[in-house]
Amino acid sequence: MATTNDLKNGLVLNLDGQLWSVVNFQHVKPGKGGAFVRTTLKNVLSGKVVDKTFNAGVKVDTANVDRREMTYLYNDGSDFVFMEPDTYDQVAVSADIVGDAAKFMLENSEVVVARHEGEPLYVELPASVELVVEHTDPGVQGDRSTGGTKPATLETGAEVQVPLFLNTGDKVKVDPRDGRYLSRVNSK
């Protein structure tokens, strides 16, 4: 248990049996009436974002969410298997929980697995991942200066829009949250 004075970004609350992460909070002391805390909360499982106001000093139930860096090992067909690097314990996470992150995960890549009471909640990838372009059609000469894009299939099977100058075999940096191309990675 904590009070609304203890709220901070990233804290996970247990409200009516659902887990909500504090995205933003603001303590408000109006000239007239009691103080209150205005918050923006994000549902940990569904991603739904809501605004909620609490009276100042009210007790709120916090949830203990264990976020650990793990190594993605393999997909056994129905589950994705992750390993904790310190203890070598393996955790199987269902495809429903992994979600779209699966399109950007390579074997042996580092990810964060969040668990509550031993149950996996979600898998979080780094802000950017580097992947090789498996296939893309060549850009047409003359189109390069227009800043256009073309579809490219990455080594994980994900399809993203890339600039026309990229070719098959190039390594690119992609934002896994929205599948957006960020830059080309120069191979040394």
Side-chain angles (χ1 to χ4, degrees):
M1 282 296 229
T3 66
T4 53
N5 298 332
D6 301 326
L7 291 181
K8 60 182 183 243
N9 292 348
L11 184 69
V12 178
L13 305 176
N14 188 346
L15 302 174
D16 302 324
Q18 293 189 356
L19 298 178
W20 297 85
S21 176
V22 177
V23 176
N24 198 356
F25 70 98
Q26 179 182 15
H27 290 276
V28 179
K29 175 72 174 107
K32 191 175 180 183
F36 59 91
V37 180
R38 188 176 294 142
T39 64
T40 303
L41 304 173
K42 180 178 180 182
N43 190 304
V44 171
L45 297 176
S46 69
K48 180 180 175 184
V49 177
V50 296
D51 291 326
K52 186 162 176 64
T53 304
F54 298 96
N55 289 329
V58 171
K59 290 196 179 296
V60 289
D61 191 15
T62 59
N64 185 14
V65 175
D66 184 21
R67 298 178 76 238
R68 293 190 186 201
E69 193 156 301
M70 295 188 165
T71 305
Y72 168 57
L73 296 179
Y74 60 90
N75 179 352
D76 69 2
S78 59
D79 292 336
F80 291 83
V81 179
F82 298 89
M83 179 186 69
E84 201 167 317
D86 301 335
T87 62
Y88 301 109
D89 289 341
Q90 293 186 7
V91 177
V93 179
S94 73
D96 295 343
I97 293 172
V98 174
D100 287 342
K103 295 191 289 189
F104 300 100
M105 285 191 317
L106 283 175
E107 291 181 356
N108 298 319
S109 59
E110 298 294 319
V111 299
V112 173
V113 177
R115 296 187 292 184
H116 174 65
E117 296 176 355
E119 289 297 313
L121 296 174
Y122 59 88
V123 173
E124 191 176 285
L125 295 176
S128 66
V129 293
E130 294 179 2
L131 299 168
V132 175
V133 175
E134 191 91 352
H135 172 76
T136 186
D137 294 328
V140 179
Q141 189 67 32
D143 281 353
R144 296 171 197 267
S145 63
T146 61
T149 60
K150 61 183 178 179
T153 305
L154 303 177
E155 60 186 311
T156 57
E159 194 164 293
V160 296
Q161 292 293 319
V162 298
L164 295 170
F165 60 81
L166 286 173
N167 299 312
T168 300
D170 287 348
K171 194 174 214 179
V172 295
K173 191 179 280 191
V174 178
D175 185 341
R177 294 170 295 197
D178 56 9
R180 190 170 35 95
Y181 164 84
L182 296 174
S183 66
R184 177 167 46 176
V185 178
N186 293 332
S187 44
K188 294 175 174 86

